[in-house]
Amino acid sequence: MSQIPIVPQTLKRALVAGILIGGFGTTAALAETTKTHALSLIGKPAYGPDFKHFDWLNPDAPKGGRMRRWNLGAFDNLNGFSVQGNAAIGLGLLHDTIMETSLDEPGTEYCLICEWVSYPSDYSSVTYRLRPEAKFNDGSPITVDDVIFSLTALKEANPFYGAYYKNIVKAEETGDREVTFTFDKKNNRELPQITGQLPILSKAFWTAKDANGNERSLKRRSQEVPISSGPYKIKSFKFPDRISYERIKNHWAADLPVRRGMYNFDELTWLYYRDQTAAFEDFKKGDLGVWQASSAKQWAAEFNFPAIRDGKVKRKAFDVKRVAGMQGFAFNLRRKKFQDPRVRRAFNLAFDFEWSNRNLFFDQYTRLQSYFDNSELAATGLPEGRELEILNEVKDQVPPEVFTTPYKNPVNASPADFRNNLRQAAKLFREAGWTVKDRVLTNAAGEKLTVEILLISPTFKRVFLPYVRNLQRLGVQTKIRVVDTSQYQERTDTFDYDMIVSSFGQSFSPGNEQRDFWGSAAADRNGSRNAIGIKNPAIDKIIEKIIFASDRSELVAATRALDRVLLWNHYVVPNWHLPKVRLAWWDRFKQPDNLPALSPAPLQLWWQETGAASEANKS
């Protein structure tokens, strides 16, 4: 199960889902009702109820200083829960959740707003007791009413939350500071934990009128600073290109074991840029404090400026233990021209990854061969055992290769290989009814095969241009269109594109979020993460097996079955992955000696060196 994004317009992706200590076990081993401080799907939580702090941070990290980061585009909205407008980056800092995700343990959460969590052995409900000290930043207490309101209001305000929490059919007060969520189905083991990811909003604020006497609404774009519960509040902002957050000095959770040593900067600021080049120049000057490199070319060739040579800027590619979810050139199956899988396979044959990796990426990447790469969840070889049983249940609804052939992307070890792959692509186009007329692929109705690739960043043009030339050699009329963030958000929310670069972040514990990625019900819901428009009954059935898996082995088998069916339907042209996070930073910023396995987390865990305050005015 991917961690729910606090700001749904920002694609996030990470961890979690859960049951209690011991991971997946037999139901006989579970008590009738389990009460605990932590939930974990994979093994036993690393920390007991009396732990003092996480081992992977500095519990005595000094507070103070500031950090500046950058973001592409512009923003016009301070309500991160609305589908309207472009929400500011960083709004997730404003709202605490019932439980806190561990950055070092896949599928593990610890109580944050709650004192404890309990659930029955059939997973039909979950109950939390709230901490009496939990407060909003105006000093008012976080109550059961606020929790119930948050669930109801978010489900109504945003289709994403409506789908993510659709199995929660009731929320009610069941004791002093206790709230119980009841589910519509039993034995969905991750529902308690995704409930723990609920961001808590102030009912008093959102049900009151604003300064102009207008009713507030989570459904609408807002330019008003909200009452919040998280470690930061909005300090200042200037639409469309700057927002700053101020650390709440006496935040109620600052000394809790799950928060000690975290959120150390007094101020976090994001500046918006129209292009990455200008932002990188400001980083080189010291106007930005930390830089995450997403470009292999930049990482290999552009970190040779004076501050690097003088040791004032450090850089490192941090190893991270994550499932490499699929990133790819995604087809929009809502377009008739992409509905034939032979056409989609032909597009993959036209992509010369080996050339791109060698000439564009400095051989830094590995091509993705799975929707769950770099993990035990990836399908390998031929299906067997429980995975084969699951696939046999949908045998007549999936490609026959699922049972006969391990999936492999085309490989171009030599120019001759690529020529052969292009010939195979041309053959597939012909079989699908597309023949070359006047150098353009045309079908029997006289329609030309034209494709627009929609991008948000000009940086990706250098990757796409060689691919476009290959497609044009086959007769596909292809063009690239780069739009600003507002247009991109609108067009992707309404599925107004032929192809985009799309990513589907995965965790070690896939679950309910798979419905939003690939489920038929999400295909026609604006703003869903089913960017491809998949409506496949076999996939719907396999997703349900993942969600209701009785143990870890069942989950792994069902996920591998899903992986195999997704791959053989050729829904994307797979891209590449790197199991590292490439960061550069000015040396006034320090980090713990032993960073967590899942993320280097500079915003949460780093701090500014004591005595460097005068240097901090820039970043």
Side-chain angles (χ1 to χ4, degrees):
M1 179 182 70
S2 298
Q3 183 183 1
I4 185 171
I6 300 297
V7 183
Q9 291 156 314
T10 302
L11 284 181
K12 66 166 195 139
R13 339 283 183 206
L15 327 165
V16 312
I19 67 169
L20 175 69
I21 296 175
F24 276 130
T26 62
T27 54
L30 295 172
E32 182 66 25
T33 299
T34 300
K35 181 185 291 187
T36 181
H37 70 296
L39 301 171
S40 180
L41 179 61
I42 305 174
K44 180 180 179 180
Y47 301 89
D50 298 324
F51 82 104
K52 303 302 181 185
H53 59 79
F54 293 121
D55 293 341
W56 33 262
L57 48 68
N58 176 5
D60 301 315
K63 307 293 185 184
R66 64 180 67 175
M67 180 185 285
R68 284 184 182 174
R69 305 291 296 270
W70 80 285
N71 200 43
L72 184 68
F75 74 99
D76 60 4
N77 182 15
L78 300 181
N79 172 16
F81 305 106
S82 170
V83 297
Q84 297 180 355
N86 293 313
I89 190 170
L91 292 176
L93 295 165
L94 302 182
H95 303 287
D96 277 333
T97 51
I98 299 176
M99 301 190 77
E100 178 81 290
T101 297
S102 171
L103 294 175
D104 198 56
E105 302 166 80
T108 305
E109 292 180 358
Y110 292 83
C111 274
L112 175 57
I113 289 177
C114 61
E115 287 183 332
W116 50 256
V117 53
S118 69
Y119 56 89
S121 58
D122 64 1
Y123 299 91
S124 58
S125 65
V126 65
T127 298
Y128 301 95
R129 185 173 189 184
L130 307 184
R131 296 182 188 272
E133 68 268 33
K135 292 179 174 59
F136 292 103
N137 65 18
D138 66 347
S140 62
I142 295 175
T143 68
V144 169
D145 275 350
D146 294 308
V147 175
I148 295 172
F149 167 80
S150 299
L151 174 69
T152 304
L154 287 172
K155 288 176 71 174
E156 293 176 353
N158 191 300
F160 171 82
Y161 288 101
Y164 199 70
Y165 288 128
K166 75 173 185 176
N167 295 114
I168 304 175
V169 293
K170 184 169 63 174
E172 59 185 332
E173 185 170 7
T174 51
D176 181 29
R177 305 195 316 276
E178 290 184 20
V179 58
T180 296
F181 299 89
T182 302
F183 310 135
D184 61 354
K185 294 182 180 180
K186 298 179 180 180
N187 299 314
N188 184 334
R189 294 174 177 267
E190 69 177 357
L191 281 176
Q193 199 153 345
I194 68 171
T195 308
Q197 296 172 2
L198 181 71
I200 304 305
L201 313 177
S202 168
K203 179 180 178 180
F205 176 84
W206 284 104
T207 56
K209 294 182 179 181
D210 64 20
N212 297 320
N214 299 316
E215 298 285 345
R216 295 188 177 105
S217 173
L218 278 174
K219 297 180 181 180
R220 295 196 299 268
R221 176 181 0 202
S222 173
Q223 298 186 354
E224 182 182 20
V225 175
I227 298 297
S228 55
S229 57
Y232 286 85
K233 60 183 178 181
I234 295 175
K235 179 181 181 181
S236 62
F237 61 93
K238 181 174 74 68
F239 294 121
D241 54 18
R242 180 189 178 103
I243 186 165
S244 293
Y245 299 88
E246 179 181 16
R247 184 174 63 87
I248 297 173
K249 301 296 194 296
N250 57 346
H251 186 249
W252 69 270
D255 294 324
L256 291 180
V258 292
R259 280 287 175 80
R260 186 178 174 189
M262 299 177 72
Y263 299 111
N264 302 309
F265 295 103
D266 278 352
E267 185 176 312
L268 298 170
T269 296
W270 276 271
L271 305 177
Y272 281 74
Y273 293 77
R274 296 298 180 184
D275 64 79
Q276 179 175 285
T277 301
F280 190 57
E281 289 302 313
D282 279 355
F283 171 71
K284 288 159 62 175
K285 293 186 296 184
D287 292 342
L288 301 174
V290 176
W291 184 268
Q292 181 169 340
S294 58
S295 164
K297 175 179 179 293
Q298 183 186 74
W299 189 251
E302 297 181 18
F303 280 88
N304 55 1
F305 48 93
I308 285 279
R309 295 192 294 269
D310 295 342
K312 294 179 180 179
V313 170
K314 311 292 184 182
R315 69 170 184 151
K316 181 179 179 179
F318 293 90
D319 293 321
V320 288
K321 295 180 180 178
R322 296 179 185 167
V323 180
M326 178 59 71
Q327 175 183 291
F329 306 143
F331 304 100
N332 185 357
L333 268 62
R334 303 168 187 87
R335 303 283 202 256
K336 183 180 178 181
K337 57 195 167 191
F338 294 131
Q339 290 175 5
D340 192 317
R342 291 171 295 188
V343 169
R344 304 194 296 267
R345 173 65 174 168
F347 272 76
N348 195 6
L349 287 161
F351 178 51
D352 190 347
F353 167 75
E354 287 72 24
W355 184 93
S356 295
N357 199 32
R358 184 171 59 252
N359 291 280
L360 302 178
F361 305 147
F362 297 84
D363 284 321
Q364 292 185 34
Y365 294 125
T366 300
R367 190 155 193 206
L368 288 160
Q369 303 287 346
S370 166
Y371 284 74
F372 303 88
D373 221 328
N374 200 40
S375 77
E376 66 171 340
L377 301 168
T380 57
L382 293 176
E384 58 184 21
R386 179 58 183 147
E387 180 190 353
L388 180 58
E389 293 175 1
I390 291 170
L391 289 169
N392 276 330
E393 294 180 25
V394 293
K395 189 169 186 177
D396 295 336
Q397 299 172 301
V398 301
E401 294 90 344
V402 163
F403 299 92
T404 63
T405 312
Y407 180 87
K408 291 182 180 179
N409 286 308
V411 176
N412 300 293
S414 68
D417 290 334
F418 186 56
R419 289 192 294 271
N420 287 334
N421 285 329
L422 285 184
R423 281 193 287 270
Q424 290 183 52
K427 181 174 181 289
L428 287 170
F429 279 129
R430 288 193 299 273
E431 291 174 357
W434 297 93
T435 56
V436 177
K437 294 181 181 180
D438 298 325
R439 302 174 65 181
V440 179
L441 286 171
T442 308
N443 64 14
E447 298 168 329
K448 299 182 185 302
L449 185 51
T450 62
V451 175
E452 180 184 87
I453 300 170
L454 185 68
L455 298 178
I456 191 175
S457 171
T459 304
F460 237 102
K461 286 184 69 174
R462 63 188 287 270
V463 175
F464 262 117
L465 284 173
Y467 184 40
V468 166
R469 288 193 292 269
N470 295 341
L471 292 171
Q472 289 173 339
R473 287 174 62 183
L474 290 165
V476 182
Q477 285 190 330
T478 312
K479 64 179 180 180
I480 296 172
R481 182 177 178 85
V482 181
V483 298
D484 63 28
T485 52
S486 297
Q487 289 179 286
Y488 190 82
Q489 186 73 52
E490 172 66 23
R491 290 187 62 175
T492 52
D493 278 349
T494 58
F495 311 118
D496 180 18
Y497 50 82
D498 290 337
M499 292 178 69
I500 58 172
V501 178
S502 193
S503 59
F504 305 92
Q506 297 289 356
S507 74
F508 290 98
S509 309
N512 288 264
E513 77 289 342
Q514 304 303 310
R515 290 172 177 157
D516 204 43
F517 285 150
W518 335 109
S520 297
D524 297 326
R525 190 179 73 241
N526 285 354
S528 83
R529 292 182 286 180
N530 190 342
I532 300 165
I534 297 171
K535 291 184 178 180
N536 187 316
I539 288 175
D540 291 337
K541 291 176 184 177
I542 297 173
I543 289 172
E544 295 307 297
K545 290 190 178 294
I546 290 172
I547 292 171
F548 292 98
S550 58
D551 54 33
R552 181 69 184 175
S553 62
E554 177 78 5
L555 177 70
V556 170
T559 304
R560 289 175 178 172
L562 174 64
D563 188 32
R564 208 177 294 272
V565 174
L566 290 170
L567 289 167
W568 276 112
N569 274 287
H570 309 295
Y571 291 131
V572 301
V573 176
N575 286 175
W576 46 84
H577 75 100
L578 177 72
K580 296 177 182 292
V581 174
R582 296 171 297 204
L583 292 179
W585 63 95
W586 284 80
D587 64 352
R588 57 183 165 271
F589 299 116
K590 305 301 177 184
Q591 61 203 236
D593 293 332
N594 299 306
L595 285 166
L598 301 176
S599 173
L603 294 180
Q604 295 100 316
L605 306 184
W606 295 22
W607 65 91
Q608 186 170 294
E609 187 177 50
T610 303
S614 61
E615 294 285 335
N617 292 329
K618 286 186 176 182
S619 56

